[in-house]
Amino acid sequence: MSLSDLRARPAIGLQEAVSALRAAAEETRLRVLVLLAEGELSVSDLTDILGQSQPRISRHLKVLVEAGLVARHREGAWAFFRLAEGAASESVQTLLDALDRADPRFAEDRDRLAAVRGRRSEAAQAFFARLAPRWDELRSLHVSEDDVEAAILAAVGPAPIRNLLDLGTGTGRMLRLLAPKAERAVGLDASHDMLAVARASLAREGLHRVELRQGDLHAPPFPRGGFDLVVMHQVLHYLDDPARAVEQAARLLVPGGRLLVVDFAPHGIEQLRETQAHRRLGFAQDQMAAWFDEAGLAPEIGRDLPPPAGGGADRLTVSLWLGRDRRAAHSTGTALRREVA
């Protein structure tokens, strides 16, 4: 690590530094910090990896949380832990960077971490396999996922993303696509089972630092103005009040931030209400433009991706909408560009 890297770390006061160093200066807690540098873990995960009792692991985590080195969040009856953000955690990161990861104790912990992730992946895949037939049936009704993802990447553009939020992340598909472009990526979903699938799939992609949260996207547990890109991919048609969800998502944007919505155009496949739990049968371009306007967004892109030709009448058109927070939009009164690919 260079001197300039050290100087770039945030300043920390004497008492905060002493507290952080005391918290880290214990064998088990240091091993916990090294493991959390690989991604968030539960108490159960750490118990399996470190071979210690749950009360003991919980006590160590309590010390680390109180010292500002570790952040904790609940997901129903579960609790997950990750390295915290802030001056204390950044300062201890210098120590973590200097550690020899080939040390036998760290190497053993890493092997057990891989085993825990393997078991998690197997459980997640079993859950996904039960749902896959219904999802495959739906995918057969519209344009390929590759085409949809290419359209998403084109809409987002090449610029790096500072803070990304995927609302209704499901299996983490959008996080796998966009998190490599982001400095920070967060996924929110109401389903613990879906988040388990997402954790496993993100781990397979090597995206261990992505944050996953359980919560209601009608009342997302984040402060206003924290994200420069918020994504809602195939979420709105499951909701009773999609307009409210758009409004809540827009509140999370920084000035000039963007909201990307991907869903279906209006259709008449009523059976999806029963087979796929759809509440709404698609959304029109003018309807989404009105919701964006009410949420303080300047519509920038409205694009339709029609299904392959010759597939029959009961096929779905995928629509993509991109809006920008007006507080720092480059131009006001931007007209919605409608495209058909």
Side-chain angles (χ1 to χ4, degrees):
M1 177 178 294
S2 68
L3 181 59
S4 61
D5 291 332
L6 292 174
R7 288 173 176 167
R9 296 199 183 279
I12 182 173
L14 175 61
Q15 292 304 316
E16 190 178 6
V18 170
S19 176
L21 291 172
R22 281 178 176 168
E26 195 280 335
E27 180 179 324
T28 297
R29 292 198 287 272
L30 190 57
R31 291 166 67 191
V32 167
L33 291 172
V34 171
L35 287 166
L36 293 181
E38 300 291 331
E40 66 179 17
L41 296 167
S42 68
V43 175
S44 177
D45 292 336
L46 290 167
T47 298
D48 290 345
I49 294 168
L50 298 175
Q52 300 182 21
S53 68
Q54 182 170 330
R56 186 174 180 182
I57 293 296
S58 295
R59 285 196 297 272
H60 285 307
L61 288 168
K62 184 174 185 291
V63 172
L64 293 171
V65 169
E66 290 176 347
L69 302 182
V70 168
R72 173 184 183 272
H73 73 273
R74 293 205 66 83
E75 188 176 294
W78 292 65
F80 287 88
F81 297 83
R82 61 180 175 82
L83 292 184
E85 298 178 0
S89 183
E90 286 291 323
S91 297
V92 172
Q93 186 66 51
T94 304
L95 171 62
L96 298 181
D97 291 341
L99 293 174
D100 180 7
R101 301 305 172 90
D103 179 275
R105 185 61 63 86
F106 292 143
E108 291 172 2
D109 288 348
R110 193 164 53 249
D111 289 342
R112 286 191 286 268
L113 172 62
V116 165
R117 284 179 170 160
R119 292 195 297 271
R120 181 194 296 169
S121 177
E122 291 174 3
Q125 288 305 308
F127 172 78
F128 182 78
R130 293 196 299 270
L131 298 182
R134 288 189 296 160
W135 287 357
D136 289 341
E137 176 187 353
L138 182 59
R139 289 192 188 106
S140 69
L141 298 176
H142 62 73
V143 64
S144 74
E145 296 290 351
D146 288 342
D147 289 342
V148 173
E149 292 181 1
I152 290 170
L153 290 173
V156 170
I161 303 165
R162 185 174 182 184
N163 291 296
L164 164 70
L165 173 62
D166 182 23
L167 290 173
T169 193
T171 61
R173 190 179 189 93
M174 289 298 100
L175 291 174
R176 297 197 300 275
L177 181 68
L178 297 174
K181 297 168 60 66
E183 295 179 21
R184 176 190 178 217
V186 183
L188 179 75
D189 202 279
S191 168
H192 173 74
D193 288 330
M194 281 295 187
L195 290 173
V197 175
R199 284 192 178 89
S201 63
L202 291 168
R204 286 196 302 273
E205 297 290 330
L207 299 171
H208 302 309
R209 299 300 298 272
V210 174
E211 302 170 32
L212 294 174
R213 299 288 177 269
Q214 185 177 34
D216 182 2
L217 57 82
H218 281 120
F222 307 109
R224 293 189 180 191
F227 299 91
D228 52 323
L229 178 63
V230 175
V231 177
M232 304 179 77
H233 175 260
Q234 299 292 9
V235 170
L236 293 185
H237 61 256
Y238 290 110
L239 305 180
D240 289 320
D241 192 355
R244 180 184 165 207
V246 169
E247 180 183 10
Q248 291 295 323
R251 291 179 179 179
L252 301 175
L253 295 172
V254 300
R258 297 177 295 168
L259 172 64
L260 175 68
V261 176
V262 181
D263 218 288
F264 296 122
H267 63 84
I269 309 179
E270 285 286 344
Q271 70 184 43
L272 293 180
R273 296 190 192 274
E274 295 183 3
T275 62
Q276 300 286 338
H278 288 205
R279 305 290 297 197
R280 306 290 295 269
L281 298 184
F283 306 96
Q285 293 283 346
D286 57 353
Q287 182 179 47
M288 192 63 65
W291 288 348
F292 274 21
D293 183 64
E294 293 169 2
L297 303 175
E300 292 194 342
I301 296 175
R303 183 177 181 187
D304 288 338
L305 301 170
D314 289 340
R315 290 294 181 267
L316 298 168
T317 292
V318 175
S319 295
L320 180 152
W321 302 270
L322 184 72
R324 185 180 296 273
D325 183 280
R326 284 200 179 92
R327 289 172 294 173
H330 296 301
S331 61
T332 59
T334 305
L336 180 67
R337 297 202 315 272
R338 175 161 183 148
E339 306 172 13
V340 177

